[in-house]
Amino acid sequence: MQKHQIKDVITRFPFLADISSEEWKEEGISIVSLPVNSVVYEGEFLKSTALILEGSVRIYKLSDSGREVTLFRIGNGECSPLMAAGILGRSEFEAWACFEKPTTILIVPIQTSQEWMDKYKGFRQFILRSFAFHLNNLSNLIETMNFKSIRTRISKYLIEKTSHDNDSLAITHDILAIELGTVREVISRTLKSMEKEGLLRLERGQITHIQHRQLLVLLNKDCREHTVTG
Amino acid sequence: MQKHQIKDVITRFPFLADISSEEWKEEGISIVSLPVNSVVYEGEFLKSTALILEGSVRIYKLSDSGREVTLFRIGNGECSPLMAAGILGRSEFEAWACFEKPTTILIVPIQTSQEWMDKYKGFRQFILRSFAFHLNNLSNLIETMNFKSIRTRISKYLIEKTSHDNDSLAITHDILAIELGTVREVISRTLKSMEKEGLLRLERGQITHIQHRQLLVLLNKDCREHTVTG
């Protein structure tokens, strides 16, 4: 690691300022760059802790039959807790990582990570917070998958990805199914019925004329109904 | 905490032998007993770290309309990572805990937990392992909910809960739906079709004549088919 690299790293992860210049020289600490759309089996990362300096990584599960479900994304200044599971020395976790943007990662070998965890409170807190945050995220994902209808989940997704000024979204039914943890057939059927109701228009590879305001009304209505029936 | 209590705690959690007798005297450290079927909103626990000495706790999410989904269970010698999230000083986690057996818990206030985390490697490793373990569990639950058919999930559940010698299980369709993260109607429909095929018999409040061996064959077949189509 060069001095200017260390400086860049500390700008992104201020708690790493605690690490001494001697410790930065330890073998295996490095910065790697991964091109967009590269895919790795996460097992490959479990020998190191990976801190994202810049970019975006989607962590997903892949079924034997090739279906996917997105677990979560990690971006600038974050750390995958599943990658970090490696710092415990063993992990049976199996997932895939897809780099959605060109991504630069600080790699810290497990042995070094463990030493830093023991020695530096800032590093320890960062890893623990990351674990707690993603546990919360996964719990909420399970809740959403169970309790919310596909129509509600599609509405929520479209609202998040569009605005009053930009009412189109380039996305295939396949990708939307992966994002929402269901199958393409369910997505297509639901989108078609939403198109009939004038909530959106389906075009090749994209959804256009998304009625942001109407979807928001539907979503609020759905939440209220859930509360009323409770 | 009495001396004999501390001794009991260390028998269950050997890494707590590191804690000095002075530290055991800190305010708020206590052992609490909760009767079977008591239910608490997990937020109540976030002021402390809770280590299970004896018993079983089911952690679940509850929807506005009263539907439930089980996230995981914690038992003897374990610690809920969601409870442990409190040791980070803040958590937005919301879940419920139901005590399935009479349960005895060691309560350690957050402030003390944080000090122990900083000071004792054994305690720190325990909390981290617990986080990693449950992250893995939740990821696998999401995978199962997405990729496995209800029939496969019911078969797997019944195989786990029965044996060749004991082919009955007292469980309602409602409870099975909560366990598998779906609705009662889907469970009832699937069970009825399985009954028609002679895989089990449905009686009031229980499933009998569970064909353990046949379910196992089905399950293996399902896995192979998933692989072949992949």
Side-chain angles (χ1 to χ4, degrees):
Chain A
M1 293 275 290
Q2 307 287 318
K3 266 196 179 160
H4 73 274
Q5 287 180 309
I6 297 174
K7 211 179 143 196
D8 286 349
V9 167
I10 292 171
T11 308
R12 183 63 82 185
F13 298 101
F15 58 86
L16 290 180
D18 298 340
I19 312 296
S20 71
S21 53
E22 272 311 301
E23 283 170 307
W24 279 114
K25 288 180 191 151
E26 271 172 48
E27 213 184 306
I29 301 178
S30 60
I31 291 177
V32 297
S33 289
L34 289 140
V36 66
N37 287 333
S38 49
V39 169
V40 296
Y41 169 55
E42 203 184 59
E44 290 181 29
F45 270 101
L46 295 179
K47 288 165 279 179
S48 311
T49 306
L51 284 76
I52 316 298
L53 291 160
E54 190 85 42
S56 178
V57 191
R58 182 172 68 91
I59 307 293
Y60 62 100
K61 285 265 186 182
L62 190 64
S63 80
D64 294 334
S65 59
R67 279 187 58 199
E68 291 179 19
V69 56
T70 299
L71 294 177
F72 49 78
R73 288 182 164 76
I74 42 173
N76 301 354
E78 295 182 329
C79 156
S80 167
L82 301 164
M83 292 172 175
I87 57 174
L88 302 175
R90 65 183 176 92
S91 171
E92 287 142 22
F93 188 78
E94 293 186 7
W96 294 78
C98 174
F99 296 83
E100 298 184 307
K101 294 179 187 171
T103 300
T104 316
I105 298 177
L106 171 70
I107 298 284
V108 183
I110 285 179
Q111 182 61 33
T112 311
S113 299
Q114 280 173 332
E115 284 165 21
W116 290 5
M117 286 272 292
D118 287 340
K119 207 164 162 187
Y120 299 109
K121 189 166 180 166
F123 187 70
R124 185 158 70 235
Q125 293 266 10
F126 173 74
I127 300 289
L128 274 169
R129 287 231 167 83
S130 174
F131 270 49
F133 177 75
H134 287 289
L135 263 172
N136 200 4
N137 264 6
L138 290 183
S139 301
N140 288 337
L141 179 57
I142 291 168
E143 184 179 26
T144 306
M145 281 167 51
N146 269 276
F147 301 145
K148 301 288 181 198
S149 71
I150 285 295
R151 173 182 281 253
T152 306
R153 285 150 65 190
I154 290 177
S155 300
K156 192 164 172 280
Y157 188 87
L158 294 179
I159 289 168
E160 280 168 9
K161 297 287 179 185
T162 58
S163 63
H164 292 294
D165 309 326
N166 177 18
D167 67 354
S168 290
L169 185 67
I171 193 163
T172 65
H173 297 193
D174 270 319
I175 300 292
L176 198 50
I178 290 170
E179 291 297 309
L180 301 180
T182 181
V183 291
R184 188 179 49 76
E185 290 71 18
V186 170
I187 293 290
S188 295
R189 203 186 315 138
T190 312
L191 281 175
K192 265 174 209 154
S193 93
M194 291 173 84
E195 186 179 36
K196 269 189 196 164
E197 293 167 44
L199 296 170
L200 46 84
R201 209 176 287 172
L202 298 175
E203 291 176 25
R204 192 170 179 80
Q206 63 175 339
I207 304 171
T208 62
H209 297 80
I210 296 167
Q211 302 302 306
H212 202 273
R213 200 184 302 261
Q214 274 177 263
L215 290 180
L216 212 53
V217 171
L218 272 182
L219 206 62
N220 287 333
K221 193 163 162 271
D222 185 67
C223 289
R224 273 204 310 281
E225 273 170 13
H226 267 96
T227 314
V228 171
T229 58
Chain B
M1 294 274 292
Q2 306 289 317
K3 265 196 180 159
H4 72 274
Q5 287 180 308
I6 297 174
K7 213 180 142 195
D8 286 349
V9 166
I10 292 172
T11 309
R12 183 62 83 186
F13 298 100
F15 57 86
L16 291 180
D18 298 342
I19 312 296
S20 72
S21 52
E22 271 312 300
E23 283 170 307
W24 279 115
K25 288 180 192 151
E26 271 171 49
E27 213 184 305
I29 301 179
S30 60
I31 291 177
V32 297
S33 290
L34 288 139
V36 66
N37 287 334
S38 48
V39 169
V40 296
Y41 169 55
E42 204 184 59
E44 289 180 28
F45 270 101
L46 295 180
K47 288 164 279 179
S48 310
T49 306
L51 284 74
I52 317 297
L53 291 160
E54 190 84 41
S56 178
V57 191
R58 183 171 67 93
I59 306 293
Y60 62 99
K61 285 266 187 180
L62 189 65
S63 81
D64 294 334
S65 58
R67 279 186 57 198
E68 291 179 18
V69 55
T70 299
L71 295 176
F72 49 78
R73 287 182 165 77
I74 42 173
N76 301 354
E78 295 181 329
C79 156
S80 166
L82 301 164
M83 292 173 175
I87 58 173
L88 302 175
R90 66 184 174 91
S91 170
E92 288 145 20
F93 188 78
E94 293 186 6
W96 294 78
C98 175
F99 296 83
E100 299 184 305
K101 294 179 187 171
T103 299
T104 317
I105 298 177
L106 171 69
I107 298 284
V108 183
I110 285 178
Q111 182 61 34
T112 310
S113 299
Q114 279 172 332
E115 283 164 22
W116 290 5
M117 286 271 293
D118 287 341
K119 208 165 162 187
Y120 299 109
K121 189 166 181 168
F123 188 70
R124 185 159 69 235
Q125 293 266 10
F126 173 75
I127 300 289
L128 274 168
R129 286 229 169 85
S130 174
F131 271 49
F133 177 75
H134 287 290
L135 264 171
N136 199 4
N137 265 5
L138 290 183
S139 301
N140 289 337
L141 178 59
I142 291 169
E143 184 179 27
T144 306
M145 281 167 51
N146 270 276
F147 301 145
K148 302 288 181 197
S149 71
I150 286 294
R151 171 182 283 254
T152 305
R153 284 151 65 191
I154 290 177
S155 300
K156 192 163 172 283
Y157 188 86
L158 294 180
I159 288 168
E160 280 168 7
K161 297 286 179 185
T162 58
S163 63
H164 293 292
D165 308 325
N166 177 18
D167 67 354
S168 290
L169 185 67
I171 193 164
T172 65
H173 298 192
D174 271 318
I175 300 291
L176 198 51
I178 290 169
E179 290 297 309
L180 301 179
T182 182
V183 290
R184 188 180 50 76
E185 290 71 17
V186 170
I187 293 290
S188 295
R189 204 187 313 137
T190 312
L191 281 176
K192 266 176 210 153
S193 93
M194 291 173 84
E195 187 179 36
K196 270 189 196 165
E197 294 167 43
L199 295 170
L200 46 84
R201 209 175 286 172
L202 298 174
E203 290 177 26
R204 190 169 182 81
Q206 63 175 338
I207 304 171
T208 63
H209 297 79
I210 296 167
Q211 302 303 307
H212 201 273
R213 199 184 302 261
Q214 275 176 263
L215 290 180
L216 213 54
V217 171
L218 272 181
L219 205 63
N220 287 332
K221 192 163 163 270
D222 186 67
C223 289
R224 275 205 308 281
E225 273 170 11
H226 267 94
T227 314
V228 171
T229 59

PDB file of all heavy atoms in Angstrom, chain A residues 32-49:
ATOM      1  N   VAL A  32      -8.154  -3.681  -4.768  1.00  0.00           N
ATOM      2  CA  VAL A  32      -8.437  -4.323  -6.053  1.00  0.00           C
ATOM      3  C   VAL A  32      -9.593  -3.603  -6.740  1.00  0.00           C
ATOM      4  O   VAL A  32     -10.489  -3.073  -6.086  1.00  0.00           O
ATOM      5  CB  VAL A  32      -8.781  -5.832  -5.910  1.00  0.00           C
ATOM      6  CG1 VAL A  32      -7.604  -6.614  -5.352  1.00  0.00           C
ATOM      7  CG2 VAL A  32     -10.014  -6.050  -5.049  1.00  0.00           C
ATOM      8  N   SER A  33      -9.548  -3.609  -8.070  1.00  0.00           N
ATOM      9  CA  SER A  33     -10.635  -2.993  -8.837  1.00  0.00           C
ATOM     10  C   SER A  33     -11.337  -4.068  -9.645  1.00  0.00           C
ATOM     11  O   SER A  33     -10.682  -4.901 -10.279  1.00  0.00           O
ATOM     12  CB  SER A  33     -10.072  -1.935  -9.785  1.00  0.00           C
ATOM     13  OG  SER A  33      -9.635  -0.833  -9.018  1.00  0.00           O
ATOM     14  N   LEU A  34     -12.645  -4.049  -9.600  1.00  0.00           N
ATOM     15  CA  LEU A  34     -13.425  -5.047 -10.341  1.00  0.00           C
ATOM     16  C   LEU A  34     -14.317  -4.346 -11.347  1.00  0.00           C
ATOM     17  O   LEU A  34     -15.016  -3.392 -11.008  1.00  0.00           O
ATOM     18  CB  LEU A  34     -14.243  -5.886  -9.367  1.00  0.00           C
ATOM     19  CG  LEU A  34     -13.344  -6.832  -8.555  1.00  0.00           C
ATOM     20  CD1 LEU A  34     -13.781  -6.913  -7.121  1.00  0.00           C
ATOM     21  CD2 LEU A  34     -13.322  -8.209  -9.210  1.00  0.00           C
ATOM     22  N   PRO A  35     -14.307  -4.828 -12.601  1.00  0.00           N
ATOM     23  CA  PRO A  35     -15.105  -4.172 -13.638  1.00  0.00           C
ATOM     24  C   PRO A  35     -16.602  -4.415 -13.426  1.00  0.00           C
ATOM     25  O   PRO A  35     -16.995  -5.378 -12.756  1.00  0.00           O
ATOM     26  CB  PRO A  35     -14.626  -4.831 -14.929  1.00  0.00           C
ATOM     27  CG  PRO A  35     -14.042  -6.134 -14.509  1.00  0.00           C
ATOM     28  CD  PRO A  35     -13.527  -5.957 -13.122  1.00  0.00           C
ATOM     29  N   VAL A  36     -17.408  -3.535 -14.011  1.00  0.00           N
ATOM     30  CA  VAL A  36     -18.852  -3.674 -13.904  1.00  0.00           C
ATOM     31  C   VAL A  36     -19.294  -5.012 -14.491  1.00  0.00           C
ATOM     32  O   VAL A  36     -18.680  -5.522 -15.431  1.00  0.00           O
ATOM     33  CB  VAL A  36     -19.554  -2.472 -14.596  1.00  0.00           C
ATOM     34  CG1 VAL A  36     -19.326  -2.471 -16.097  1.00  0.00           C
ATOM     35  CG2 VAL A  36     -21.045  -2.438 -14.288  1.00  0.00           C
ATOM     36  N   ASN A  37     -20.318  -5.585 -13.872  1.00  0.00           N
ATOM     37  CA  ASN A  37     -20.903  -6.868 -14.293  1.00  0.00           C
ATOM     38  C   ASN A  37     -20.051  -8.089 -14.008  1.00  0.00           C
ATOM     39  O   ASN A  37     -20.446  -9.199 -14.377  1.00  0.00           O
ATOM     40  CB  ASN A  37     -21.283  -6.869 -15.779  1.00  0.00           C
ATOM     41  CG  ASN A  37     -22.521  -6.022 -16.013  1.00  0.00           C
ATOM     42  OD1 ASN A  37     -23.344  -5.858 -15.111  1.00  0.00           O
ATOM     43  ND2 ASN A  37     -22.643  -5.463 -17.202  1.00  0.00           N
ATOM     44  N   SER A  38     -18.883  -7.920 -13.374  1.00  0.00           N
ATOM     45  CA  SER A  38     -18.148  -9.133 -13.014  1.00  0.00           C
ATOM     46  C   SER A  38     -18.880  -9.802 -11.860  1.00  0.00           C
ATOM     47  O   SER A  38     -19.512  -9.161 -11.022  1.00  0.00           O
ATOM     48  CB  SER A  38     -16.689  -8.830 -12.667  1.00  0.00           C
ATOM     49  OG  SER A  38     -16.622  -7.764 -11.767  1.00  0.00           O
ATOM     50  N   VAL A  39     -18.839 -11.118 -11.863  1.00  0.00           N
ATOM     51  CA  VAL A  39     -19.581 -11.903 -10.879  1.00  0.00           C
ATOM     52  C   VAL A  39     -18.602 -12.815 -10.167  1.00  0.00           C
ATOM     53  O   VAL A  39     -17.753 -13.434 -10.802  1.00  0.00           O
ATOM     54  CB  VAL A  39     -20.662 -12.759 -11.602  1.00  0.00           C
ATOM     55  CG1 VAL A  39     -21.261 -13.794 -10.652  1.00  0.00           C
ATOM     56  CG2 VAL A  39     -21.763 -11.870 -12.164  1.00  0.00           C
ATOM     57  N   VAL A  40     -18.679 -12.840  -8.850  1.00  0.00           N
ATOM     58  CA  VAL A  40     -17.830 -13.779  -8.117  1.00  0.00           C
ATOM     59  C   VAL A  40     -18.672 -14.584  -7.138  1.00  0.00           C
ATOM     60  O   VAL A  40     -19.677 -14.102  -6.617  1.00  0.00           O
ATOM     61  CB  VAL A  40     -16.689 -13.086  -7.318  1.00  0.00           C
ATOM     62  CG1 VAL A  40     -15.723 -12.383  -8.250  1.00  0.00           C
ATOM     63  CG2 VAL A  40     -17.240 -12.138  -6.278  1.00  0.00           C
ATOM     64  N   TYR A  41     -18.253 -15.808  -6.946  1.00  0.00           N
ATOM     65  CA  TYR A  41     -18.845 -16.642  -5.911  1.00  0.00           C
ATOM     66  C   TYR A  41     -18.292 -16.120  -4.603  1.00  0.00           C
ATOM     67  O   TYR A  41     -17.075 -15.973  -4.456  1.00  0.00           O
ATOM     68  CB  TYR A  41     -18.442 -18.098  -6.145  1.00  0.00           C
ATOM     69  CG  TYR A  41     -18.775 -18.998  -5.000  1.00  0.00           C
ATOM     70  CD1 TYR A  41     -20.079 -19.069  -4.511  1.00  0.00           C
ATOM     71  CD2 TYR A  41     -17.803 -19.765  -4.380  1.00  0.00           C
ATOM     72  CE1 TYR A  41     -20.386 -19.884  -3.442  1.00  0.00           C
ATOM     73  CE2 TYR A  41     -18.104 -20.584  -3.316  1.00  0.00           C
ATOM     74  CZ  TYR A  41     -19.399 -20.634  -2.845  1.00  0.00           C
ATOM     75  OH  TYR A  41     -19.714 -21.430  -1.788  1.00  0.00           O
ATOM     76  N   GLU A  42     -19.175 -15.783  -3.671  1.00  0.00           N
ATOM     77  CA  GLU A  42     -18.695 -15.073  -2.497  1.00  0.00           C
ATOM     78  C   GLU A  42     -17.677 -15.860  -1.688  1.00  0.00           C
ATOM     79  O   GLU A  42     -16.868 -15.291  -0.981  1.00  0.00           O
ATOM     80  CB  GLU A  42     -19.838 -14.596  -1.606  1.00  0.00           C
ATOM     81  CG  GLU A  42     -19.372 -13.425  -0.763  1.00  0.00           C
ATOM     82  CD  GLU A  42     -20.398 -12.940   0.217  1.00  0.00           C
ATOM     83  OE1 GLU A  42     -20.815 -13.733   1.058  1.00  0.00           O
ATOM     84  OE2 GLU A  42     -20.780 -11.776   0.146  1.00  0.00           O
ATOM     85  N   GLY A  43     -17.759 -17.188  -1.788  1.00  0.00           N
ATOM     86  CA  GLY A  43     -16.785 -18.027  -1.096  1.00  0.00           C
ATOM     87  C   GLY A  43     -15.358 -17.555  -1.352  1.00  0.00           C
ATOM     88  O   GLY A  43     -14.489 -17.636  -0.481  1.00  0.00           O
ATOM     89  N   GLU A  44     -15.151 -17.008  -2.548  1.00  0.00           N
ATOM     90  CA  GLU A  44     -13.806 -16.530  -2.912  1.00  0.00           C
ATOM     91  C   GLU A  44     -13.326 -15.405  -1.999  1.00  0.00           C
ATOM     92  O   GLU A  44     -12.136 -15.182  -1.856  1.00  0.00           O
ATOM     93  CB  GLU A  44     -13.805 -16.013  -4.361  1.00  0.00           C
ATOM     94  CG  GLU A  44     -13.953 -17.114  -5.388  1.00  0.00           C
ATOM     95  CD  GLU A  44     -13.934 -16.578  -6.807  1.00  0.00           C
ATOM     96  OE1 GLU A  44     -13.297 -15.536  -7.030  1.00  0.00           O
ATOM     97  OE2 GLU A  44     -14.561 -17.199  -7.667  1.00  0.00           O
ATOM     98  N   PHE A  45     -14.298 -14.679  -1.435  1.00  0.00           N
ATOM     99  CA  PHE A  45     -13.939 -13.524  -0.625  1.00  0.00           C
ATOM    100  C   PHE A  45     -13.710 -13.876   0.844  1.00  0.00           C
ATOM    101  O   PHE A  45     -13.265 -13.044   1.601  1.00  0.00           O
ATOM    102  CB  PHE A  45     -15.042 -12.465  -0.686  1.00  0.00           C
ATOM    103  CG  PHE A  45     -14.832 -11.488  -1.799  1.00  0.00           C
ATOM    104  CD1 PHE A  45     -15.533 -11.610  -2.978  1.00  0.00           C
ATOM    105  CD2 PHE A  45     -13.918 -10.468  -1.667  1.00  0.00           C
ATOM    106  CE1 PHE A  45     -15.337 -10.724  -4.004  1.00  0.00           C
ATOM    107  CE2 PHE A  45     -13.711  -9.572  -2.691  1.00  0.00           C
ATOM    108  CZ  PHE A  45     -14.424  -9.696  -3.870  1.00  0.00           C
ATOM    109  N   LEU A  46     -14.075 -15.097   1.203  1.00  0.00           N
ATOM    110  CA  LEU A  46     -14.121 -15.389   2.630  1.00  0.00           C
ATOM    111  C   LEU A  46     -12.738 -15.495   3.264  1.00  0.00           C
ATOM    112  O   LEU A  46     -12.618 -15.622   4.464  1.00  0.00           O
ATOM    113  CB  LEU A  46     -14.977 -16.621   2.912  1.00  0.00           C
ATOM    114  CG  LEU A  46     -16.466 -16.436   2.564  1.00  0.00           C
ATOM    115  CD1 LEU A  46     -17.252 -17.702   2.856  1.00  0.00           C
ATOM    116  CD2 LEU A  46     -17.079 -15.275   3.321  1.00  0.00           C
ATOM    117  N   LYS A  47     -11.704 -15.424   2.420  1.00  0.00           N
ATOM    118  CA  LYS A  47     -10.352 -15.436   2.968  1.00  0.00           C
ATOM    119  C   LYS A  47      -9.927 -14.033   3.417  1.00  0.00           C
ATOM    120  O   LYS A  47      -8.878 -13.851   3.994  1.00  0.00           O
ATOM    121  CB  LYS A  47      -9.383 -15.978   1.911  1.00  0.00           C
ATOM    122  CG  LYS A  47      -9.535 -17.478   1.694  1.00  0.00           C
ATOM    123  CD  LYS A  47      -8.854 -17.921   0.408  1.00  0.00           C
ATOM    124  CE  LYS A  47      -9.767 -17.636  -0.779  1.00  0.00           C
ATOM    125  NZ  LYS A  47      -9.183 -18.007  -2.080  1.00  0.00           N
ATOM    126  N   SER A  48     -10.782 -13.055   3.114  1.00  0.00           N
ATOM    127  CA  SER A  48     -10.437 -11.668   3.436  1.00  0.00           C
ATOM    128  C   SER A  48     -11.680 -10.899   3.883  1.00  0.00           C
ATOM    129  O   SER A  48     -12.798 -11.337   3.662  1.00  0.00           O
ATOM    130  CB  SER A  48      -9.892 -10.963   2.195  1.00  0.00           C
ATOM    131  OG  SER A  48      -8.907 -11.729   1.570  1.00  0.00           O
ATOM    132  N   THR A  49     -11.431  -9.756   4.494  1.00  0.00           N
ATOM    133  CA  THR A  49     -12.517  -8.817   4.728  1.00  0.00           C
ATOM    134  C   THR A  49     -12.459  -7.806   3.585  1.00  0.00           C
ATOM    135  O   THR A  49     -11.377  -7.356   3.221  1.00  0.00           O
ATOM    136  CB  THR A  49     -12.316  -8.093   6.067  1.00  0.00           C
ATOM    137  OG1 THR A  49     -12.148  -9.090   7.073  1.00  0.00           O
ATOM    138  CG2 THR A  49     -13.511  -7.245   6.419  1.00  0.00           C
TER     139      THR A  49
END
